[in-house]
Amino acid sequence: MSIQVVSINLDAEVYDAVKNKVARNKLSKILRNYIINEYSPSKGFKDETKIQEFRVKLISLDEESLQKIDQIVKEHGKGCNRSLVVRDVLNQLLTVLESDDQERYKTSDQIVHSSYYFFEGTRDKLDQIMKPWDRSSKIEYFLKTDYDPERFVGENFKIKNTEEIKIDLDVLAHSKLTSIAKRKNTSNSEVMRDVVRQLFNNEISKNEKGFRNTLVKYDQILGEERVQEIVRDFYNSK
């Protein structure tokens, strides 16, 4: 995994409060996942209230989370920087950790190493939306935060042409997976296949929303006719 250690100027009080609510050595991982999957800048976040004490900390961020931060900095222009954005991230994360939703963000240092059986071709599809070395972390995060067991789609047939994929989960995520499997009277692999199915659908939904937002942006810049012409030319040239 490509990780960069960046120096960030933080609100000491908020940083300490967040750190006290997450497992030891897990803050950077939680921050990365929150930034990538959930963070959206707060309204007026550039006009933050006076901070009593600043503290410079080294935060480990991956390429994807840094790209999102830098894009936000670029979009908000003068007066915006990485530290300001990360302070807003921590404020939002602290609110979540103090809410009834806090269980979603609990982590454990104890890891369960397991392999699961999927339909052939699943690995290639996963590699299209995430780096192989991020696979376990992203699936674990989705299982904890967004997976909905009530939308479980079972399989009434034995799948052929399977492939085995190794996915490491912390003990909390693995316990959730096992509990769902027992409740649904099925295997851990079948539940994990459903987790990945929902993950794919979630990614498709996010990509569609992003594409629509991009079309709206360029429609405002170039006009509807020019955007339609570019899209037509793209498909005609394939």
Side-chain angles (χ1 to χ4, degrees):
M1 184 191 303
S2 178
I3 294 289
Q4 280 186 247
V5 179
V6 295
S7 179
I8 302 291
N9 199 13
L10 302 173
D11 182 330
E13 183 180 359
V14 174
Y15 174 80
D16 287 341
V18 171
K19 192 173 182 182
N20 287 335
K21 290 183 178 294
V22 299
R24 181 173 57 89
N25 299 328
K26 294 295 183 181
L27 178 56
S28 288
K29 177 182 176 181
I30 291 172
L31 272 178
R32 291 194 297 268
N33 281 326
Y34 187 82
I35 290 166
I36 293 167
N37 296 290
E38 302 192 44
Y39 175 67
S40 181
S42 305
K43 186 176 181 181
F45 77 100
K46 288 173 65 176
D47 304 318
E48 60 184 356
T49 56
K50 188 175 180 180
I51 295 173
Q52 297 296 320
E53 179 190 352
F54 284 98
R55 185 183 302 160
V56 177
K57 299 297 296 184
L58 296 178
I59 305 291
S60 300
L61 297 173
D62 59 10
E63 183 180 350
E64 192 174 357
S65 55
L66 275 172
Q67 283 179 347
K68 184 170 180 179
I69 289 171
D70 289 341
Q71 182 61 34
I72 291 169
V73 170
K74 182 179 178 181
E75 289 174 355
H76 286 80
K78 187 177 179 180
C80 191
N81 54 55
R82 284 179 172 179
S83 290
L84 186 66
V85 174
V86 176
R87 288 199 294 271
D88 186 47
V89 172
L90 283 170
N91 280 322
Q92 286 190 18
L93 185 55
L94 179 59
T95 299
V96 173
L97 291 172
E98 290 177 337
S99 72
D100 294 336
D101 219 16
Q102 58 184 291
E103 291 294 322
R104 301 196 317 153
Y105 298 91
K106 282 191 174 180
T107 58
S108 171
D109 290 326
Q110 188 177 351
I111 304 299
V112 179
H113 304 282
S114 300
S115 292
Y116 303 89
Y117 292 95
F118 292 88
F119 292 97
E120 192 174 36
T122 300
R123 189 193 308 276
D124 289 340
K125 290 180 180 178
L126 284 169
D127 289 348
Q128 290 175 20
I129 63 173
M130 63 185 72
K131 299 285 191 283
W133 50 84
D134 284 336
R135 185 183 299 137
S136 291
S137 175
K138 287 183 177 293
I139 290 175
E140 175 191 294
Y141 186 82
F142 183 80
L143 171 60
K144 286 181 176 179
T145 60
D146 285 325
Y147 176 66
D148 183 1
E150 300 308 313
R151 290 166 48 210
F152 173 81
V153 177
E155 299 151 0
N156 56 5
F157 56 90
K158 185 175 181 180
I159 66 173
K160 302 176 181 178
N161 302 322
T162 63
E163 61 182 3
E164 190 176 4
I165 301 177
K166 184 175 179 291
I167 299 171
D168 299 331
L169 303 174
D170 75 14
V171 69
L172 300 175
H174 188 266
S175 176
K176 180 176 181 178
L177 181 80
T178 302
S179 175
I180 295 169
K182 286 181 179 178
R183 199 164 69 244
K184 302 293 184 182
N185 193 29
T186 189
S187 66
N188 285 359
S189 280
E190 186 169 3
V191 175
M192 183 58 82
R193 288 194 292 273
D194 193 64
V195 171
V196 170
R197 179 189 64 80
Q198 287 192 26
L199 175 61
F200 283 148
N201 289 340
N202 189 62
E203 286 297 315
I204 290 170
S205 178
K206 284 198 301 186
N207 289 339
E208 286 181 351
K209 183 178 179 182
F211 179 65
R212 289 178 183 276
N213 289 340
T214 300
L215 285 178
V216 169
K217 177 181 176 182
Y218 281 97
D219 181 70
Q220 294 169 347
I221 297 171
L222 302 173
E224 181 179 341
E225 288 187 10
R226 179 56 181 147
V227 171
Q228 289 179 344
E229 181 183 346
I230 292 170
V231 173
R232 280 197 302 270
D233 287 346
F234 170 76
Y235 282 106
N236 289 336
S237 65
K238 290 181 71 175

